[in-house]
Amino acid sequence: MHTMLSVSLTGSPFGCRLSAGPSARRSGRIPDLTVWRKPPPRGVWSAVAGVALVIEIVSPGSEAMDSVTKVREYATAGIPQYWVVDRDGGQTVTLHRLTGQGGYEERARMPLDWLLQTSPADHLD
């Protein structure tokens, strides 16, 4: 089975609508990179229903936001995978996968160079 993916880069404003539950206020995030299972609807803000993967590149000063806050928000929104690219010497990528309990588990941690030599199908469901 082949999975159709559409990559949306945030060179133009594009965001994912997030919601932490029925009683929570709606919020949004603009990820550095979003991978969709099919082309996203037109517009700046879209629901996360077709999102396969969100990638954030850690900027100086945003470490806690990318590694703690966004992990919780993206998991609560139901995004299947969340990857964090650190700006350390190896540009380490941490791959998080959504569990059945509504949180993420750390699936792998590897240098970006190694990850770029693999196929997306090796990492996406």
Side-chain angles (χ1 to χ4, degrees):
M1 176 171 91
H2 295 281
T3 302
M4 172 72 92
L5 297 175
S6 172
V7 178
S8 173
L9 299 174
T10 55
S12 60
F14 175 81
C16 295
R17 268 281 170 232
L18 305 175
S19 177
S23 62
R25 67 178 178 87
R26 293 180 65 93
S27 64
R29 289 280 179 202
I30 299 176
D32 293 319
L33 179 70
T34 306
V35 178
W36 295 83
R37 296 205 180 278
K38 60 182 181 178
R42 297 186 66 100
V44 175
W45 295 102
S46 295
V48 298
V51 174
L53 164 67
V54 166
I55 300 172
E56 294 283 4
I57 301 168
V58 178
S59 297
S62 74
E63 295 88 348
M65 180 68 72
D66 292 332
S67 300
V68 178
T69 305
K70 290 181 182 178
V71 169
R72 184 178 57 247
E73 290 177 351
Y74 290 147
T76 301
I79 295 172
Q81 294 197 47
Y82 173 51
W83 297 0
V84 179
V85 182
D86 289 311
R87 291 190 176 195
D88 57 9
Q91 293 181 314
T92 305
V93 183
T94 304
L95 287 65
H96 300 277
R97 176 176 283 168
L98 196 61
T99 67
Q101 291 77 35
Y104 284 121
E105 67 180 359
E106 185 177 309
R107 187 169 153 243
R109 188 178 288 241
M110 64 192 73
L112 179 61
D113 287 344
W114 185 86
L115 181 64
L116 293 175
Q117 295 177 34
T118 63
S119 166
D122 294 340
H123 308 287
L124 298 174
D125 297 331

